[in-house]
């Protein structure tokens, strides 16, 4: 073996300053990953040692004190030649064949699958916080090899020298980092311990931490994972998982869902959020790779519809990205994502079959997520039908409850339209569902496939008008001049006027519209502003759709008083005011023509009121 003089400097085969800048500013999201790299190298070294000596002791000890971070392991170690080759060349690994290894190639390949990373780049990554890295190592592959010291600084140089045999009697490696200026916060003992627990709590070997204050080293690892531990009762397990969720995510879950996929090498648990969250929010899940925390922000682990859970799991099959801070979205992950989604669906089915109270509590918070799933899963829709809540003209209830009272189901596409029509529909036995919320319209479109006996149609002005009580023919004939004036006034708004008697009496007028009528108005507006070519095309598209309707309530005293006004101009102004008030109550967007009408009607009423006052004052003066 060749001994290298400590006075002879050697250069890395990379620009170290450029590499550190690349790692800290472009590859890694935070300097905190240096602790992960230290733990990763130690665990891999132990794994390699066990492949060579299955009975070898396991020891990984992390400590921090005085601006230094030290980690010692009883792993495979390095020789001087390996230190040159592996620590100076990016991408090389001490776990590869060669260098006098006693491992056969088949055994080496099997062991290599257990490794977490690559020693060279992992150690160099520690320069994101260190100005100097000192490695003292002794090889377990060559019992006669002397201990080796590898000393590197952040200027890109390193030295290697052999040490006396008593400098490290047993195989293994000790790495010492000295924090560089500006990075001292990352070497504070409390911070190092926190990061070690975060990254390494599920690692397969026992790891301890020493803060340098003379106390007993504290364990970092906490295995087996809580979801793999035995518990005396299901309730005890549920309480333990709830405590784990509160510690990890900061909330007490509604429930927990086991995510066990042995074929895919995945074990974990999903926690159901206790509060509603937006479907657009990308959930962050915690993923451990062979025990090492890979990321706590994995947003591609579960299907988008499962936004109501936060998952934590350990896997040995999914691929990490280059920074080892997220999952690579490949075919394997896609298959695992589908399988995990199936587990969530299975949990819902189990609740529906065996625990309706827990299901009701879940749906009270997360009905939106279940509706999202049911759009793509008719079986799930049929299963959840008795439980999914909808806003209806009969109150909040499930589709199954609503269908028991109404075989003809109408729905509105906007919340505003529903709120205007709901009281009147309820009073006249018309079944209306508010489909203005997310996913509701899609689910209603699927409803006949699950319940063929039901008829589902969008609410239109004609359907509502037909349900309202007609006015006696004699009364309508008596009001014919009034109705003619009203229709003439609202003709420019493309609105018909009808007279009906309906409840509640307090509503003087109801504005009814539907999609076909809106499309026809839009076509007419476009026709008015189009050139000759488009006028011909749009004219050819003229539809026969019914227009919007202003339904006047004959039961309302105000309508009867307006109908009895002797002044036709004042009657017209009053009708325009009724139209404007009904339009505002429907909460629809106002067209420019509608705004003009509202202003004209308001000013007309003010003018009539003030003129009436002037006339009364004049009459008083004459007396």
């Amino acid at each position: 073996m060749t001994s290298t003089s400590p006075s002879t400097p050697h250069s890395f085969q990379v620009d170290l300053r450029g590499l550190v800048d690349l790692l800290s500013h472009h590859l890694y999201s935070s300097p905190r990953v240096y602790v992960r790299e230290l733990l990763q190298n130690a665990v891999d070294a132990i794994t390699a040692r066990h492949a060579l000596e299955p009975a070898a002791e396991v020891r990984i000890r992390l400590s921090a004190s005085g601006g230094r971070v030290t980690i010692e392991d009883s792993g495979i170690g390095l020789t001087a030649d390996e230190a040159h080759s592996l620590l100076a060349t990016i991408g090389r690994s001490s776990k590869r064949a060669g260098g006098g290894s006693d491992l056969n190639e088949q055994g080496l390949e099997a062991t290599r699958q257990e490794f977490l990373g690559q020693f060279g780049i992992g150690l160099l990554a520690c320069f994101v916080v260190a100005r100097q890295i000192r490695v003292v190592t002794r090889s377990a592959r060559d019992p006669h090899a002397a201990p080796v010291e590898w000393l590197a600084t952040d200027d890109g140089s390193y030295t290697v020298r052999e040490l006396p045999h008593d400098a490290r009697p047993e195989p293994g490696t000790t790495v010492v980092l000295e924090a560089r200026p500006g990075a001292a916060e990352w070497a504070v003992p409390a911070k190092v311990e926190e990061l070690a627990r975060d990254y390494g709590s599920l690692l397969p070997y026992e790891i301890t931490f020493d803060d340098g204050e003379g106390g007993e080293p504290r364990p970092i690892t906490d295995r087996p994972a809580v979801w793999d531990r035995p518990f005396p009762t299901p309730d005890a397990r549920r309480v333990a998982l709830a405590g784990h969720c509160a510690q990890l995510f900061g909330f007490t879950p509604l429930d927990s869902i086991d995510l066990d996929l042995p074929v895919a090498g995945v074990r974990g648990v999903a926690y159901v959020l206790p509060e509603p969250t937006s479907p657009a929010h990308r959930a962050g899940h915690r993923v451990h790779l062979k025990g090492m925390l890979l990321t706590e922000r994995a947003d591609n682990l579960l299907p988008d519809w499962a936004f109501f859970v936060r998952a934590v799991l350990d896997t040995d099959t999914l691929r990490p990205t280059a920074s080892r801070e997220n999952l690579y979205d490949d075919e394997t992950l896609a298959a695992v994502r589908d399988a995990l989604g199936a587990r969530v669906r299975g949990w819902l089915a189990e609740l529906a079959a065996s625990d309706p109270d827990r299901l009701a509590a879940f749906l009270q918070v997360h009905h939106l997520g279940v509706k999202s799933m049911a759009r793509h899963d008719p079986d799930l829709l049929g299963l959840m039908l008795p439980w999914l809540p909808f806003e209806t003209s009969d109150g909040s209830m499930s589709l199954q409850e609503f269908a028991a009272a109404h075989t003809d189901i109408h729905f509105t596409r906007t919340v505003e339209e529903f709120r205007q029509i709901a009281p009147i529909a309820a009073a006249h036995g018309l079944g209306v569902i508010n489909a203005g919320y997310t996913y509701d319209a899609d689910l209603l479109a699927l409803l006949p496939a699950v319940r063929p006996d039901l008829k589902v149609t969008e609410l239109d002005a004609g359907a509502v008008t037909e349900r309202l009580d007609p006015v006696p023919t004699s009364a309508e004939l008596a009001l014919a001049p009034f109705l003619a004036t009203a229709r003439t006034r609202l003709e420019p708004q493309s609105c018909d006027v009808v007279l009906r008697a309906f409840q509640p009496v307090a509503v003087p007028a109801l504005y009814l519209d539907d999609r076909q009528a809106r499309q026809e108005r839009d076509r007419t507006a476009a026709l008015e502003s189009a050139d000759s070519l488009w006028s011909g095309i749009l004219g050819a598209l003229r539809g026969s759709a019914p227009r919007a309707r202003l339904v006047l309530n004959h039961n309302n005293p105000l309508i009867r008083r307006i109908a009895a006004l002797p002044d036709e101009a004042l009657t017209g102004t009053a009708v325009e005011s009724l139209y404007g008030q009904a339009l505002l109550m429907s909460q629809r967007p106002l067209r420019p023509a509608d705004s003009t009408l509202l202003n004209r009607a308001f000013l007309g009423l003010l003018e009539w009121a003030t003129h009436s006052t002037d006339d009364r004052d004049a009459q008083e003066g004459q007396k």
Side-chain angles (χ1 to χ4, degrees), residues 191-250:
K191 186 68 173 179
V192 175
E193 182 177 9
E194 175 192 347
L195 294 176
R197 292 184 187 279
D198 199 34
Y199 280 114
S201 61
L202 298 185
L203 287 173
Y205 307 122
E206 182 178 353
I207 301 171
T208 60
F209 177 78
D210 186 353
D211 58 11
E213 296 184 358
E216 285 293 322
R218 296 183 288 273
I220 293 297
T221 47
D222 185 22
R223 291 184 65 89
V226 63
W227 53 82
D228 284 330
R229 296 174 190 171
F231 293 95
T233 64
D235 285 341
R237 185 175 189 270
R238 188 176 295 117
V239 169
L241 288 173
H244 176 252
C245 177
Q247 181 181 14
L248 204 60
F249 293 117

Side-chain angles (χ1 to χ4, degrees), residues 105-153:
E105 189 62 28
Q106 183 178 1
L108 178 66
E109 184 61 33
T111 304
R112 188 177 297 152
Q113 297 176 0
E114 302 300 319
F115 295 140
L116 295 171
Q118 293 181 320
F119 186 75
I121 192 170
L123 192 59
L124 292 180
C126 293
F127 276 117
V128 297
V129 298
R131 70 172 186 85
Q132 176 180 283
I133 300 176
R134 180 174 182 260
V135 178
V136 177
T137 181
R138 184 164 187 166
S139 176
R141 291 181 178 135
D142 185 356
H144 303 292
V148 177
E149 178 194 69
W150 180 88
L151 184 66
T153 59

Side-chain angles (χ1 to χ4, degrees), residues 326-339:
N326 212 332
L327 294 171
Y328 188 77
D329 211 336
D330 56 9
E331 292 181 358
T332 302
L333 178 58
V336 168
R337 183 164 49 238
D338 290 343

Side-chain angles (χ1 to χ4, degrees), residues 253-278:
L254 282 178
D255 208 344
S256 58
I257 308 168
D258 283 320
L259 303 178
D260 183 11
L261 303 175
V263 175
V266 172
R267 286 284 295 158
V269 63
Y271 294 116
V272 181
L273 291 166
E275 297 178 353
T277 185
S278 169

Side-chain angles (χ1 to χ4, degrees), residues 347-583:
W347 169 79
L348 284 171
E350 183 181 351
L351 285 188
S354 62
D355 200 338
D357 290 338
R358 283 171 63 200
L359 179 64
F362 165 76
L363 288 177
Q364 187 176 3
V365 178
H366 294 297
H367 60 275
L368 199 59
V370 178
K371 288 180 178 181
S372 174
M373 286 190 291
R375 293 181 305 153
H376 308 291
D377 192 333
D379 293 336
L380 184 64
L381 177 60
L383 178 68
M384 293 288 106
L385 195 61
W387 311 101
L388 290 176
F390 286 82
E391 185 177 8
T392 78
S393 53
D394 294 345
S396 180
M397 60 181 61
S398 71
L399 285 180
Q400 182 160 296
E401 292 173 319
F402 190 71
H406 306 278
T407 54
D408 289 341
I409 296 178
H410 301 273
F411 66 91
T412 63
R413 290 190 178 272
T414 66
V415 175
E416 293 77 13
E417 187 178 5
F418 172 81
R419 289 177 179 170
Q420 183 200 18
I421 199 64
I424 297 167
H428 292 269
L430 185 65
V432 182
I433 293 178
N434 181 5
Y437 295 119
T438 306
Y439 308 133
D440 284 3
D442 294 337
L443 290 176
L444 288 173
L446 295 172
L447 186 57
V450 180
R451 291 283 304 274
D453 57 311
L454 299 179
K455 180 182 179 181
V456 180
T457 57
E458 184 174 356
L459 185 70
D460 59 54
V464 177
T465 305
E466 290 172 3
R467 286 299 187 103
L468 303 181
D469 296 333
V471 176
T473 303
S474 58
E476 188 161 5
L477 288 174
L479 296 176
F482 162 68
L483 293 174
T485 299
R487 288 169 181 145
T488 300
R489 277 300 185 104
L490 297 184
E491 176 62 30
Q493 313 305 125
S494 298
C495 182
D496 289 333
V497 178
V498 295
L499 186 66
R500 291 290 186 273
F502 57 86
Q503 300 294 327
V505 174
V507 177
L510 176 66
Y511 181 83
L512 296 177
D513 200 2
D514 54 38
R515 184 168 50 178
Q516 289 181 318
R518 290 191 291 271
Q519 289 174 345
E520 182 65 16
R521 285 200 306 272
D522 292 341
R523 188 203 61 77
T524 302
L527 179 62
E528 294 173 353
S529 60
D531 57 25
S532 57
L533 173 62
W534 282 107
S535 294
I537 296 174
L538 293 171
L541 296 176
R542 180 182 300 274
S544 58
R547 301 195 298 174
R549 297 183 182 185
L550 181 68
V551 183
L552 302 178
N553 188 359
H554 189 253
N555 291 337
N556 184 274
L558 178 61
I559 296 298
R560 293 198 294 270
R561 287 199 297 268
I562 293 175
L565 289 173
D567 188 337
E568 183 176 336
L570 179 58
T571 300
T573 300
V575 168
E576 289 182 337
S577 300
L578 289 171
Y579 170 85
Q581 188 265 351
L583 193 62

Side-chain angles (χ1 to χ4, degrees), residues 28-92:
Y28 295 134
S29 62
S30 167
R32 70 198 303 268
V33 298
Y34 89 93
V35 174
R36 181 192 68 190
E37 301 299 339
L38 290 176
L39 294 174
Q40 182 171 287
N41 287 335
V43 169
D44 284 347
I46 295 289
T47 301
R49 176 81 180 273
H50 273 196
L52 182 67
E53 304 174 36
E57 70 166 324
V58 174
R59 185 181 70 255
I60 302 176
R61 182 169 178 170
L62 180 67
S63 61
S65 179
R68 291 185 177 184
V69 178
T70 302
I71 187 167
E72 180 183 4
D73 68 68
S74 58
I76 194 67
L78 299 172
T79 64
D81 289 341
E82 289 171 341
H84 275 299
S85 174
L86 303 174
L87 296 175
T89 305
I90 298 303
R92 295 293 300 277

